[in-house]
Amino acid sequence: MKILRPRVILLLLFLSSSALAVRTERLIDKWRPQHYLVNITLNDQLTEISSASACIYVRILKPTRVIDLDFGELTVDRVTLNSKLLEFTHKGEKLLVTLSEDVKTGDVLALTVDYHGKPKDGLVLTKDKDGHPAAVGDNWPNRVHHWIPTLDHPSAKAPITFNITVPANQEVVANGKLEHVETIATGQRTWTYTEGAPIPPYCMIIAVGRFAKVEALERAVTPLSYYVPLSERDLAPKGFSPGASVLDYFTNTVAPYPYEKLALIVGATRFGGMENSSAIVFTSNLFSRAAAPSIDMSRKFGVPSNNVSLIAHEIAHQWFGDSVTESTWSDLWLSEGFATYFAVLFVQRFEGEDAFRVSMNNAALAVFAYEKKKLVPIFDRDTENLMELLNANNYQKGAWVLHMLRSQLGDDVFFRGIRDYYSTHKNATASSEDLRAALEKASGKNLRAFFARWVYDSGHPQYELTWYWLGKREVRIVLTQRQPGNAFVDPIPVTITTADGKRDIVLKPTGKLFIERVPLRQKPTGIEVDPHNILLDETSIKGN
Ligand SMILES: [Zn+2]
């Protein structure tokens, strides 16, 4: 009994910690994809993949005999390496390929998987709003493996070449540059697109359908075209008119556009927009949203303000999310928070300060509402259902974290840090710590405490400020933080109004209770906390 007891305790500890287990992610371990070459032939009705072969160039990272691909329910016809058949097992969305000989670290193998069938997900086989058949990729977060065998995790980035064979009346767009279109003996056409930059698997797409292809009227920093249902041909130039300005703005603010072209597509996506690298898909009701009479319209572009934000958001992802990709799902705010904030920056630049203030205010309200339901850090290692990560923490609170960093560091330092972060991690991945490192380098400041409280911990400051006029030319300010958990130590701008005018001070709280005495000639007539809204806070003020 005595010797068993510690074992029992250990087992219980193990059980209790596994009950609170952190999410396990599909990470790169024994091998990584280096390049995908994917050939897909669709049937005439675009209702299934009649044949496909994916050649995956695999770099071996550790000696192994098995390459474990993520692959859904399509029928695997054969797997080959240098034309030699390999054994495989295919179940539970895994394709385990057994290599016939030992491989060494550093070896690169060209594995080819031949397959066919009707994908359950990922490649959405549907009809466009005119009733024409369409096939559109929609993979976030890890649904690409339903139609392409992959290592289906955002960190496993690779370039991709598509050869898509479809009936001659179909238009095809995919990631990257259109290399050529070839008419083959059957009368079908094969479209070859190559995306030369490594992109996350969830961004790998094709879109096939009876699209009207419309070139942008505006000059853009990259070839910019629109793919819309035939009936929306005339709506596209105006509907997508913010695109060129967005590209221009982010190019000037961050870095040159990272890809070979940009296609803005109206098609099938379960999201409002999906940021596939160089081939963004927007929801099929994008243009019909303009018809509602009560909708808030952009003065600059004459389209719904929501559409301006959405277009700016998805294009911002080309830099943040697609080119610099989150290393783990816990770092998703580096994609969604950045896209949200950079869309708001575009709004600030083109629609003015009032629109900017409204956007940030709405973002704050979304965070407060979300935190009432779920109080977890932005850096969320626990949530199992990845769709639940599309929440106000990763979007609006992530945007607010960037806004607070910008406010606290100043525009010059902040944007220099962001540009450095981008160029360091371009075409690769980044973690929240990488962002901290870049901003620390730019500012010379230690941001550990800021990230610890805002990114790795939950909640927002709920300040209660009480002031007392002591009648001795001094006001005493008592600042209490009512939120659960630790104090926020961000500097808090405060404006005190007296008969003499306004006076700005900055409180630097050191804990949840903080007292400051401020010499003042006259009794305050009003005190305002965070007058320029640079903190994600809720505040109540009492005074006498
Ligand atoms: Zn997004």
Side-chain angles (χ1 to χ4, degrees), residues 461-531:
Q462 291 167 313
Y463 302 126
E464 187 182 282
L465 184 147
T466 312
W467 60 268
Y468 304 90
W469 175 245
L470 301 176
K472 293 174 191 159
R473 303 197 157 210
E474 188 176 81
V475 65
R476 186 168 64 185
I477 291 174
V478 177
L479 183 82
T480 312
Q481 297 189 26
R482 295 289 180 203
Q483 77 280 354
N486 293 322
F488 287 83
V489 294
D490 304 85
I492 309 166
V494 171
T495 301
I496 303 172
T497 307
T498 67
D500 285 346
K502 287 183 187 296
R503 171 153 171 218
D504 295 322
I505 61 165
V506 176
L507 302 179
K508 294 182 174 163
T510 47
K512 290 183 91 171
L513 176 64
F514 177 74
I515 300 171
E516 176 114 335
R517 288 162 178 267
V518 184
L520 208 64
R521 281 216 291 257
Q522 284 173 309
K523 186 177 176 179
T525 53
I527 289 192
E528 203 181 349
V529 172
D530 187 20

Side-chain angles (χ1 to χ4, degrees), residues 297-329:
M297 299 294 282
S298 154
R299 268 175 293 151
K300 166 89 179 158
F301 300 104
V303 302
S305 300
N306 282 346
N307 286 11
V308 177
S309 298
L310 178 61
I311 290 166
H313 178 107
E314 302 309 333
I315 294 179
H317 270 309
Q318 304 297 306
W319 284 264
F320 302 110
D322 296 9
S323 182
V324 176
T325 302
E326 58 278 13
S327 1
T328 69
W329 289 118

Side-chain angles (χ1 to χ4, degrees), residues 71-264:
F71 195 43
E73 311 72 15
L74 294 178
T75 306
V76 177
D77 301 310
R78 72 191 69 79
V79 182
T80 53
L81 176 63
N82 304 325
S83 312
K84 278 201 290 196
L85 287 174
L86 295 181
E87 287 183 19
F88 62 86
T89 57
H90 185 202
K91 63 179 179 197
E93 301 189 3
K94 289 278 177 202
L95 179 62
L96 305 178
V97 179
T98 307
L99 302 172
S100 49
E101 42 197 277
D102 285 333
V103 288
K104 300 189 304 294
T105 302
D107 284 355
V108 178
L109 320 174
L111 278 187
T112 301
V113 181
D114 292 348
Y115 57 99
H116 71 275
K118 186 182 171 67
K120 191 176 90 175
D121 199 0
L123 183 64
V124 183
L125 304 169
T126 180
K127 289 203 163 55
D128 72 8
K129 66 189 327 175
D130 299 339
H132 296 125
V136 183
D138 189 49
N139 304 312
W140 200 94
N142 55 354
R143 292 148 60 219
V144 76
H145 72 276
H146 290 289
W147 61 290
I148 307 174
T150 45
L151 197 164
D152 203 352
H153 186 271
S155 62
K157 299 175 73 172
I160 187 163
T161 300
F162 281 110
N163 289 303
I164 304 302
T165 303
V166 291
N169 64 348
Q170 301 293 335
E171 189 84 25
V172 177
V173 58
N175 308 107
K177 182 170 182 259
L178 176 62
E179 304 281 1
H180 47 82
V181 186
E182 204 181 324
T183 303
I184 58 174
T186 54
Q188 294 162 301
R189 290 192 292 175
T190 299
W191 300 64
T192 301
Y193 279 89
T194 295
E195 177 49 75
I199 58 173
Y202 66 68
C203 282
M204 296 172 172
I205 73 140
I206 61 171
V208 182
R210 297 285 303 280
F211 293 113
K213 184 186 178 195
V214 183
E215 301 300 335
L217 298 172
E218 303 81 9
R219 267 165 54 107
V221 297
T222 192
L224 175 63
S225 38
Y226 315 136
Y227 291 77
V228 298
L230 296 174
S231 61
E232 294 195 327
R233 179 192 294 273
D234 295 341
L235 299 177
K238 187 172 182 189
F240 281 134
S241 63
S245 301
V246 172
L247 280 167
D248 212 39
Y249 176 69
F250 294 146
T251 298
N252 292 328
T253 311
V254 185
Y257 177 72
Y259 302 114
E260 298 85 347
K261 61 112 206 289
L262 180 61
L264 303 180

